[in-house]
């Protein structure tokens, strides 16, 4: 597989927390970020050669410049891609050791289905839909 330089967020399409965050990012109208649910054929094909098990839906993945990030490091890189204000926030949070950030990430991932129970997803606009890789 040749290198893909797109910024792509891979997320659990069945998670309400993930869906809310994806819609938040989509509403920022960032031209160079794409989205793919881990359940999609695209995610399965794209992530497998990178050694990522897309069936592990408790982690978010972010690819940029041919590199792949997961868990809290993915979140920090996603934040840095949104706007200059979020770059500052991501740099402040990066001071926290990765092991501690990932511990918090894992706790949220473990309980996200219980916390975010409502099954209402916001639908992307036709323009936003073009950024979905399925």
């Amino acid at each position: 597989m040749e290198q893909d330089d797109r910024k792509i967020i891979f997320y659990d399409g069945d998670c309400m927390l993930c869906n809310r965050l994806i819609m938040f990012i989509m509403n920022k109208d960032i031209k160079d970020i794409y989205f793919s649910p881990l359940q999609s054929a695209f995610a399965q094909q794209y992530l497998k050669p990178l050694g990522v098990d897309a069936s592990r839906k408790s982690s978010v993945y972010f690819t940029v410049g041919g590199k792949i990030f997961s868990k809290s490091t993915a979140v920090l890189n996603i934040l840095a891609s949104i706007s200059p204000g979020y770059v500052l926030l991501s740099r402040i949070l990066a001071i926290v050791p990765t092991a501690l950030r990932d511990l918090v990430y894992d706790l949220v991932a473990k309980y996200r289905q219980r916390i975010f129970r409502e099954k209402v997803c916001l639908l992307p606009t036709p323009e936003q839909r073009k950024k979905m890789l399925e």
Side-chain angles (χ1 to χ4, degrees):
M1 178 183 233
E2 59 183 68
Q3 182 175 326
D4 187 337
D5 289 331
R6 290 181 292 186
K7 295 177 184 176
I8 306 171
I9 300 172
F10 294 94
Y11 65 98
D12 180 358
D14 293 330
C15 169
M16 294 302 105
L17 172 61
C18 299
N19 280 294
R20 282 183 176 188
L21 292 173
I22 294 304
M23 288 307 296
F24 170 78
I25 296 166
M26 278 187 171
N27 287 330
K28 296 289 184 191
D29 196 29
I30 304 161
K31 302 292 181 219
D32 64 343
I33 292 184
Y34 295 85
F35 309 90
S36 180
L38 288 166
Q39 294 85 343
S40 72
F42 176 82
Q44 302 289 323
Q45 277 187 309
Y46 190 99
L47 294 172
K48 187 175 183 178
L50 298 174
V52 174
D53 179 5
S55 67
R56 189 169 167 242
K57 296 175 187 73
S58 62
S59 186
V60 66
Y61 300 96
F62 184 57
T63 61
V64 60
K67 296 179 187 173
I68 187 159
F69 304 98
S70 65
K71 295 188 176 188
S72 67
T73 305
V75 172
L76 293 182
N77 280 281
I78 292 166
L79 281 174
S81 297
I82 295 175
S83 72
Y86 288 105
V87 170
L88 178 61
L89 177 61
S90 71
R91 288 189 180 154
I92 292 169
L93 292 173
I95 295 169
V96 177
T98 304
L100 184 56
R101 287 193 328 256
D102 282 348
L103 177 67
V104 172
Y105 181 96
D106 288 339
L107 281 170
V108 171
K110 182 177 180 177
Y111 295 106
R112 66 198 161 109
Q113 299 293 354
R114 291 182 197 161
I115 298 168
F116 296 91
R117 289 182 184 214
E118 84 244 8
K119 294 290 182 188
V120 177
C121 291
L122 298 174
L123 296 175
T125 66
E127 192 62 33
Q128 292 170 332
R129 190 94 183 115
K130 293 175 186 174
K131 306 206 46 154
M132 299 297 297
L133 306 172
E134 298 177 335

